[in-house]
Amino acid sequence: MAAPPEPTRGPRIALAAVIAALSLGLDLWSKAWVWNNLRDQAAWKVSDKLLHFDFACNPGSAFGFLNDVDWARYFFIVITLAAVGYLVHLARTLPTTSRAAFVAIGLIAGGALGNLHDRLVRVYAGDYCVVDFIVVYLWGGKTWPAFNIADAVLVAGVLLFLLVLPRTEAAADGRAAS
């Protein structure tokens, strides 16, 4: 019995592009709101002991990685451009059997582009930085490091991609064997 034909690439790439655009739009909108309403202001408490929105200017990356290094901005710009280029390559070459893989590509690209935008245009107190604002409280009053929508969709995209990649590779191997 022959395997069903693989879906065409165009709609899958369009799906990734729409997901990337929606993720990027939500990220840029939320950061603009934070920039205009919380910069140099008190935190906005969504839930007193669970969630706050509080402006933070992050010149590095997750968990403060490379915060105090002069060349960090340029390093992350180059890494982001390379990653987005690789995502485009994946969208053009991955088997189209997994719609979820293309959703993951869109999420990762949208998150990467949102933080790239900040690294290119956001200046606070003389430094280029990524706007972080989501503060989640953990047990004992401790907080998770501040993050933003771009970070959240990027992590969700990576996790989704890791979940669907084995199935995508298996589908590609199955077609190669037939």
Side-chain angles (χ1 to χ4, degrees):
M1 180 171 170
E6 203 174 297
T8 58
R9 187 162 305 281
R12 294 295 198 237
I13 290 175
L15 174 64
V18 167
I19 296 294
L22 290 172
S23 299
L24 176 60
L26 180 60
D27 178 63
L28 294 180
W29 172 82
S30 65
K31 289 175 181 173
W33 181 84
V34 168
W35 186 265
N36 293 327
N37 294 288
L38 295 180
R39 184 173 33 125
D40 302 321
Q41 302 294 323
W44 190 55
K45 297 177 181 179
V46 177
S47 173
D48 198 32
K49 294 180 182 180
L50 181 63
L51 177 67
H52 292 184
F53 292 158
D54 193 8
F55 175 82
C57 178
N58 182 357
S61 71
F63 308 106
F65 180 63
L66 297 181
N67 271 357
D68 298 325
V69 179
D70 291 338
W71 47 266
R73 175 177 177 244
Y74 304 105
F75 174 76
F76 289 121
I77 288 170
V78 168
I79 294 297
T80 302
L81 291 173
V84 170
Y86 184 68
L87 291 167
V88 169
H89 168 74
L90 282 177
R92 296 179 71 208
T93 59
L94 264 181
T96 59
T97 52
S98 174
R99 181 178 300 141
F102 287 84
V103 170
I105 288 170
L107 290 170
I108 296 166
L113 292 170
N115 285 338
L116 176 64
H117 169 270
D118 281 13
R119 287 192 173 91
L120 294 173
V121 304
R122 293 266 187 219
V123 179
Y124 180 74
D127 290 322
Y128 283 91
C129 62
V130 173
V131 172
D132 288 331
F133 64 95
I134 302 170
V135 179
V136 176
Y137 284 79
L138 306 172
W139 57 95
K142 296 188 186 295
T143 60
W144 185 261
F147 61 98
N148 56 46
I149 300 295
D151 299 333
V153 298
L154 202 152
V155 168
V158 167
L159 292 174
L160 177 60
F161 196 74
L162 291 173
L163 289 172
V164 300
L165 186 59
R167 289 189 310 205
T168 304
E169 288 178 337
D173 290 345
R175 277 192 312 282
S178 55

